[in-house]
Amino acid sequence: MRTILAAFMALAPLACNAQTVVNDATTPLHLMKPAYKYNYGVADRNDVKADIDRILDYLDKTTFAELDETGKRLKQGDFRLTSYEWGVTYSAMLRAGETTGDPRYTKYAIDRMDFLCEQAPRFIKMKEKGEKIDNLMEQVVSPDALDDCGAICCAMIKAKDIKGKKNGKLWQEQIDRYYDFIANKEYRYTDGQFARLRPVKNTVWLDDMFMGIPALALNGNYEEALRQFRLFHDKMWVAEKSLYRHGWTPTESGYHPSFFWGRANGWALLTACELLDVREDSYILDCFRQHLNGLMALQSADGAWHQLLDRNDTYLETSCTAIYAYCLAHAINKGWIEAEPYIGQTLLAWNYVAAHITDRGQVEGTCVGTGLAFDPAFYAYRPVNNYAAHGYGPAIWAGAEIYALLSTHCIKTNDSAVHYYPVDPKTDKPIFYVE
């Protein structure tokens, strides 16, 4: 009897398994949940707002629009108010205020730029007296590179008509100070293109597309902006990759190695966006679309792009991914590209960025400041750091534009994939976002 019972008990699990087996006949396998590393699908716009709110809260507590106890230096926070990275952050904050309707973003940018404009005359007088002034304010009163002035000049031009500033005259003086360097004092190559004396003479950096060109356009000199864009495109564009090389230097043969750094390609794509916002030029739009398609082919399965875009042995990097997410969403919102072919990759990029915003509001996975090199190891081994300022403006800019996208486009999942629906597929009637 015991033998029979033991045999039955041994067979019982097999009988249960036979009843619950998962196969094509018993289960709709296409509905099984994939093991995505990060969130996949259509983000909730309230979650997007909460993500960038954490960044805003963190930055508002750790960047100060005031002098230190000496009255001669800016009070030190986690980031520098006068850097080009913070110029990007100011523009991003302005856009976030516009798309979300939350005045705190606009106030953050206005308060800090207002503070710099108010302090500039005082520091100019100190310098005229022969006093050594704070290096951060030196960038403001005596810019000596495009990094000192290009991005922040753009943000000031965008914000100069916004109410809430204390002194519009000082704002215009500061814009003029920045713009004078960009238009008249920056070193140029023999053909008139923005160039640098480092690491060697007559080196062209892709970064300088963004550091110099948008300010020209925003300040009314669109023709010079377009000329500079063409010069950069002629030297830096690699057609077979549909990407821009990071650096160019004149050689006797006309050839040298090309390295496709992620963030620099972000600055180039962002430059095209800024120019198209001023004027929708067919040449710029065509360059933008070609570049975008080159980038789309290289997005990783997790939604991010590699530090060296075409080298999967380099790490995934957050700041370039955020810039591409912004540019994609902005292009869809503006109608420069059709929504459906790009909507999935756009939200995939944002979901990666959102996953790298900490509970504290810091942005993870951002490459630190980077020079220019003609070897892959230099780029591949650049450190990442939560205090790399380059990640904050792009993350806010991306979130702001994704918020606008989700507010104005009907995006749904179909067979578990992300798609855009301009009309109801069953009725052909337009679909509008409903609060």
Side-chain angles (χ1 to χ4, degrees):
M1 182 67 178
R2 291 179 179 175
T3 303
I4 296 173
L5 181 60
F8 176 79
M9 292 179 67
L11 291 172
L14 296 177
C16 292
N17 287 342
Q19 293 175 1
T20 59
V21 68
V22 174
N23 60 32
D24 183 59
T26 64
T27 307
L29 299 179
H30 69 285
L31 296 180
M32 291 178 66
K33 187 174 179 60
Y36 293 116
K37 187 173 181 180
Y38 303 107
N39 287 340
Y40 178 85
V42 183
D44 184 285
R45 67 176 190 153
N46 293 323
D47 291 339
V48 175
K49 175 67 162 49
D51 288 332
I52 60 174
D53 278 353
R54 293 201 305 280
I55 301 176
L56 172 62
D57 292 342
Y58 165 61
L59 296 183
D60 201 35
K61 294 173 183 175
T62 58
T63 53
F64 311 105
E66 56 188 277
L67 300 174
D68 68 7
E69 63 279 1
T70 70
K72 295 183 177 183
R73 299 179 62 84
L74 303 190
K75 182 177 179 180
Q76 186 174 353
D78 285 359
F79 302 97
R80 296 165 293 141
L81 298 187
T82 64
S83 69
Y84 79 80
E85 300 96 324
W86 239 239
V88 176
T89 302
Y90 297 141
S91 282
M93 292 283 187
L94 294 172
R95 182 60 176 159
E98 181 182 359
T99 62
T100 68
D102 188 338
R104 295 181 303 150
Y105 288 93
T106 307
K107 185 177 187 302
Y108 177 94
I110 293 295
D111 284 355
R112 284 153 181 80
M113 289 190 286
D114 215 15
F115 169 71
L116 297 178
C117 291
E118 283 188 336
Q119 293 300 321
R122 179 169 175 269
F123 279 88
I124 289 173
K125 290 180 180 177
M126 290 168 60
K127 190 172 181 180
E128 289 173 346
K129 293 178 181 178
E131 295 183 44
K132 181 174 174 56
I133 65 172
D134 185 347
N135 287 336
L136 298 182
M137 287 305 298
E138 186 75 43
Q139 290 180 283
V140 177
V141 303
S142 299
D144 192 41
L146 290 179
D147 285 0
D148 292 344
C149 51
I152 196 166
C153 183
C154 288
M156 285 188 171
I157 293 171
K158 293 173 186 176
K160 68 178 182 179
D161 294 326
I162 295 176
K163 294 180 180 179
K165 300 185 300 299
K166 297 177 182 177
N167 196 321
K169 183 174 181 290
L170 291 180
W171 274 66
Q172 190 58 57
E173 288 177 1
Q174 187 56 44
I175 289 170
D176 291 345
R177 192 175 294 119
Y178 283 145
Y179 185 78
D180 179 56
F181 181 86
I182 297 165
N184 303 313
K185 297 177 181 177
E186 168 63 11
Y187 179 78
R188 301 191 183 210
Y189 186 53
T190 54
D191 58 6
Q193 182 179 3
F194 294 137
R196 302 197 190 191
L197 296 172
R198 66 180 180 93
V200 294
K201 186 177 181 180
N202 291 330
T203 305
V204 177
W205 296 47
L206 187 60
D207 315 53
D208 288 341
M209 288 183 81
F210 181 73
M211 303 308 159
I213 294 175
L216 296 171
L218 284 164
N219 211 39
N221 195 352
Y222 195 89
E223 294 309 313
E224 175 60 11
L226 182 58
R227 188 180 79 89
Q228 287 288 336
F229 190 98
R230 288 180 179 274
L231 288 168
F232 273 93
H233 191 78
D234 289 346
K235 292 184 182 68
M236 314 298 272
W237 180 251
V238 179
E240 59 268 28
K241 294 276 191 177
S242 290
L243 299 172
Y244 289 100
R245 58 171 62 95
H246 183 210
W248 178 93
T249 192
T251 60
E252 290 185 8
S253 66
Y255 296 97
H256 55 64
S258 296
F259 295 94
F260 306 99
W261 181 38
R263 190 158 65 226
N265 272 264
W267 297 138
L269 196 69
L270 190 56
T271 298
C273 277
E274 295 281 85
L275 292 183
L276 290 169
D277 276 341
V278 176
R279 183 192 303 173
E280 292 193 12
D281 178 88
S282 59
Y283 170 76
I284 300 295
L285 184 57
D286 184 57
C287 291
F288 175 80
R289 288 170 173 166
Q290 289 183 47
H291 191 194
L292 201 61
N293 284 335
L295 292 167
M296 293 302 94
L298 296 172
Q299 187 181 31
S300 74
D302 287 333
W305 280 263
H306 290 272
Q307 167 78 339
L308 283 174
L309 293 166
D310 61 339
R311 295 193 179 216
N312 293 350
D313 58 345
T314 62
Y315 59 83
L316 297 176
E317 203 275 332
T318 304
S319 68
C320 73
T321 301
I323 296 171
Y324 302 154
Y326 164 76
C327 292
L328 277 161
H330 193 60
I332 293 170
N333 287 334
K334 287 285 190 174
W336 300 334
I337 57 175
E338 294 179 76
E340 170 56 13
Y342 296 97
I343 204 77
Q345 288 187 269
T346 302
L347 292 181
L348 193 65
W350 167 251
N351 286 336
Y352 181 91
V353 174
H356 289 78
I357 301 171
T358 70
D359 291 342
R360 186 186 176 195
Q362 291 189 319
V363 178
E364 298 177 316
T366 297
C367 174
V368 300
T370 296
L372 184 150
F374 291 106
D375 69 80
F378 172 78
Y379 296 97
Y381 289 94
R382 293 302 291 159
V384 298
N385 195 287
N386 286 13
Y387 293 99
H390 314 71
Y392 288 84
I396 294 170
W397 224 339
E401 207 64 36
I402 294 292
Y403 185 94
L405 183 72
L406 295 170
S407 300
T408 55
H409 292 70
C410 182
I411 309 167
K412 297 178 179 292
T413 55
N414 188 317
D415 279 344
S416 301
V418 175
H419 294 279
Y420 164 65
Y421 290 95
V423 297
D424 187 316
K426 296 180 180 179
T427 66
D428 285 336
K429 292 182 179 179
I431 297 174
F432 300 98
Y433 182 86
V434 179
E435 182 71 41

